Amino acid sequence: MSDQARLGLRENWKQFSLLVLVNAFVGGMVGMERTIIPELAMQEFSLATQSAVLSFIVVFGLTKAASNYFAGALSNKIGRKNLLVYGWIIALPVPFFLIYATHWNWIIVANIFLGISQGLTWSSTVVMKIDLVGEKDRGFAMGLNEFAGYLAVALVALLTGYIASTYGLRPYPFYIGISLSLLGLLASIFLIKDTRKFALHEKKFSLIEPLRHIFLDTTFRHKNLSSITQAGLVNNLNDGMVWGLLPVLLAAKGYGLKEIGIVVSVYPAIWGLGQLFTGKLADKFPKKALLFWGMLMQGIAIIFMGYATEMYYYILISVILGLGTAIVYPAFLAAIADYTNPGQRAESIGVFRLWRDSGYVFGALLSGALADAFGLEVAVINIGVLTALSALLIKFRMS
């Protein structure tokens, strides 16, 4: 087995590169919605409250969080590749729901399918890359993975915004999703190989004690794992707010779809590109410091977002927010892997991703309720304060 399961990025660069490409397709499926759906909610479905507009993010977060957990729990039984393929099959109808929806409930159904698909596909690519590279390049591997995914989010968000402003909200922007889902499925079936044997090989040499109860330890009991988990939840909580409220906030200040598309795409673009460099930081510097400063940068940027008015302010804030997120995102996954035995790693990552993507639910519900009650700016500022408090919890609880 050692000849067939040599750990390392260099040793497995071909399969690793294919997984990076597949994860770009995964991210593009989310980017397809970033600019369009909030506008669709107001223009074609006449949703009156921010809570109603953000309902699609709530169901997306719930289903993605749940499928993350099951992907982690089942990856050793069903196989990483099989879960990846199943995820792409579930993604196939999503663009068609969005194109032909005549009622907002169809948008909700589309996001149920999208959430399940994202949980299975993204979780599978994360675990497979960690399996391949071993401990030495873990942070860099996660940086490349998230770089591909979130750069695709940004590029597709920018492209769909341009297409929508030129040709209308439907159907042309969603043709991108049809192409991405087909390419992702075909690549996963014919090019990707399962990586479970690499985890079994690494397990033979691991000195990390197994967790007594993976779910409880990752969520509450293990100080380091649970500190990372709460920060992951808050990170996606603020991302859910940015996803749902930033386009609405910009529209309320008089910006058009092209300007909204630019601002909305800058944040995930910096988030994605930044991870080419910040992933390597997680291999060289203490992960606690990276998580603290990254979350603090996010919090400060979001607080200032509530006070901004000019276009260049929003772009600068999006850059800072993207940098903060780029710092923490590879460190999250690399740190979870550091503190878990290879035999339990997939399940612990699944638990972490369960709570992290639950942040979309909490973010949409909390920011929507605050926006309806007190206004958009107050909602944004409060999410920023909550993010800064999460950074302090990392600083004082994580060893």
Side-chain angles (χ1 to χ4, degrees):
M1 179 172 288
S2 60
D3 291 337
Q4 298 178 348
R6 292 186 300 160
L7 301 175
L9 184 56
R10 182 176 298 175
E11 290 81 354
N12 299 288
W13 71 269
K14 291 181 180 179
Q15 193 64 201
F16 187 92
S17 299
L18 288 170
L19 285 166
V20 169
L21 177 63
V22 169
N23 205 55
F25 297 151
V26 177
M29 292 296 291
V30 178
M32 175 182 64
E33 289 198 343
R34 280 268 169 167
T35 306
I36 303 299
I37 299 301
E39 289 293 318
L40 199 65
M42 293 183 293
Q43 291 189 26
E44 294 198 16
F45 296 103
S46 302
L47 299 188
T49 66
Q50 301 307 324
S51 296
V53 171
L54 298 184
S55 59
F56 78 99
I57 300 178
V58 173
V59 297
F60 171 82
L62 279 172
T63 51
K64 187 184 179 191
S67 61
N68 279 334
Y69 176 73
F70 286 110
L74 296 174
S75 62
N76 288 334
K77 298 178 181 178
I78 296 176
R80 277 83 154 144
K81 172 175 177 170
N82 288 336
L83 287 175
L84 182 60
V85 171
Y86 296 155
W88 279 116
I89 292 172
I90 293 169
L92 290 175
V94 172
F96 297 98
F97 283 132
L98 297 174
I99 289 171
Y100 296 109
T102 57
H103 191 278
W104 183 249
N105 286 343
W106 285 105
I107 306 296
I108 299 298
V109 171
N111 277 273
I112 291 173
F113 277 78
L114 182 63
I116 295 171
S117 169
Q118 288 284 305
L120 295 179
T121 52
W122 207 308
S123 291
S124 298
T125 60
V126 164
V127 172
M128 293 171 87
K129 289 187 182 72
I130 290 177
D131 288 344
L132 290 173
V133 301
E135 184 177 358
K136 180 183 176 182
D137 295 312
R138 191 172 286 154
F140 184 51
M142 290 301 92
L144 288 173
N145 184 77
E146 304 303 292
F147 150 75
Y150 286 97
L151 182 62
V153 171
L155 292 175
V156 175
L158 184 63
L159 182 58
T160 53
Y162 171 77
I163 293 172
S165 66
T166 306
Y167 301 104
L169 291 172
R170 294 194 287 180
Y172 298 105
F174 300 116
Y175 289 166
I176 296 172
I178 297 173
S179 301
L180 290 173
S181 58
L182 288 172
L183 288 171
L185 177 61
L186 293 173
S188 299
I189 292 173
F190 296 110
L191 300 178
I192 300 301
K193 299 176 183 178
D194 200 89
T195 60
R196 184 169 178 259
K197 66 181 180 182
F198 292 85
L200 294 175
H201 177 65
E202 187 183 356
K203 182 180 177 181
K204 295 178 181 179
F205 306 100
S206 177
L207 300 177
I208 300 172
E209 290 293 325
L211 300 171
R212 287 182 297 168
H213 194 292
I214 298 173
F215 183 87
L216 292 179
D217 287 336
T218 306
T219 304
F220 300 113
R221 297 194 305 202
H222 193 292
K223 285 188 176 182
N224 289 341
L225 289 173
S226 60
S227 297
I228 298 162
T229 298
Q230 68 80 26
L233 187 152
V234 174
N235 182 96
N236 279 26
L237 182 151
N238 68 49
D239 185 38
M241 180 278 294
V242 172
W243 182 357
L245 289 192
L246 182 56
V248 180
L249 179 65
L250 291 168
K253 292 181 182 293
Y255 292 104
L257 269 175
K258 285 185 178 179
E259 292 82 6
I260 292 172
I262 291 170
V263 174
V264 167
S265 64
V266 165
Y267 154 54
I270 299 297
W271 177 356
L273 285 170
Q275 288 177 101
L276 280 175
F277 310 98
T278 59
K280 197 62 180 175
L281 295 179
D283 294 323
K284 294 182 177 295
F285 296 99
K287 295 178 178 66
K288 173 182 176 178
L290 296 174
L291 294 174
F292 168 70
W293 287 110
M295 293 300 292
L296 188 62
M297 286 175 65
Q298 290 180 43
I300 292 171
I302 293 170
I303 290 170
F304 278 101
M305 186 183 289
Y307 295 102
T309 54
E310 302 295 330
M311 180 76 169
Y312 60 87
Y313 285 149
Y314 284 113
I315 292 176
L316 178 61
I317 288 166
S318 295
V319 169
I320 297 170
L321 180 59
L323 284 174
T325 312
I327 289 171
V328 300
Y329 236 67
F332 282 147
L333 295 165
I336 292 289
D338 283 351
Y339 293 115
T340 51
N341 184 276
Q344 297 177 322
R345 182 186 297 145
E347 190 169 351
S348 186
I349 288 174
V351 174
F352 164 76
R353 287 171 61 83
L354 161 70
W355 290 114
R356 191 192 67 183
D357 289 331
S358 295
Y360 284 119
V361 181
F362 295 117
L365 291 174
L366 179 60
S367 60
L370 288 171
D372 288 337
F374 304 107
L376 292 166
E377 290 85 355
V378 172
V380 171
I381 292 167
N382 275 276
I383 299 301
V385 171
L386 183 60
T387 304
L389 291 175
S390 174
L392 294 176
L393 188 57
I394 285 280
K395 183 174 181 62
F396 292 111
R397 188 165 189 262
M398 191 174 174
S399 63

